[in-house]
Amino acid sequence: LQELLNLYPEWLENNTEHPKYVVYKKQCQIVQDICDIFNGTDFQTEGGKVYSLLNDMQETGPPPDDIVNKMSQEIPDAMKGGGGVPGGGGVPGMPGAGEQCCIQ
């Protein structure tokens, strides 16, 4: 989340005319609020607030594509694939790319 938070200010500054600017600004604030909780001393007692904020974030939709793409480029290769869930790093016991989950 901290990495996500670090990417928002520059994106917001460079995309003030984007049609979803207000939504993305709200996302930035939500991520900031969550990071503030985790960086605080009482984070263990704030689970309900974090849950609520995560729900708020989900309601706003995904972050800007530029941010998502930048974050995915920074994921170490060892975590990107080679079986397992797509992009999941080859988690043992998980189906490989293109395979169905046994629960489906």
Side-chain angles (χ1 to χ4, degrees):
L1 285 175
Q2 186 64 51
E3 184 177 343
L4 179 62
L5 180 62
N6 292 341
L7 295 173
Y8 266 105
E10 180 180 357
W11 189 94
L12 290 169
E13 183 179 323
N14 293 329
N15 293 278
T16 57
E17 300 299 319
H18 193 283
K20 292 181 77 177
Y21 178 84
V22 172
V23 172
Y24 295 144
K25 188 168 174 118
K26 179 179 180 181
Q27 287 179 350
C28 180
Q29 185 58 57
I30 292 169
V31 174
Q32 177 68 61
D33 291 346
I34 294 170
C35 287
D36 288 347
I37 290 170
F38 285 136
N39 291 326
T41 57
D42 296 328
F43 71 92
Q44 293 177 337
T45 62
E46 297 288 337
K49 181 158 179 128
V50 170
Y51 181 77
S52 176
L53 289 166
L54 288 171
N55 281 331
D56 292 346
M57 182 72 173
Q58 186 174 9
E59 289 176 7
T60 66
D65 288 340
D66 295 340
I67 290 178
V68 172
N69 291 337
K70 185 165 187 160
M71 287 184 70
S72 68
Q73 291 172 357
E74 295 176 4
I75 296 173
D77 287 338
M79 296 177 66
K80 284 187 181 175
V85 293
V91 177
M94 296 298 292
E99 296 178 37
Q100 292 292 319
C101 175
C102 62
I103 296 175
Q104 293 178 326

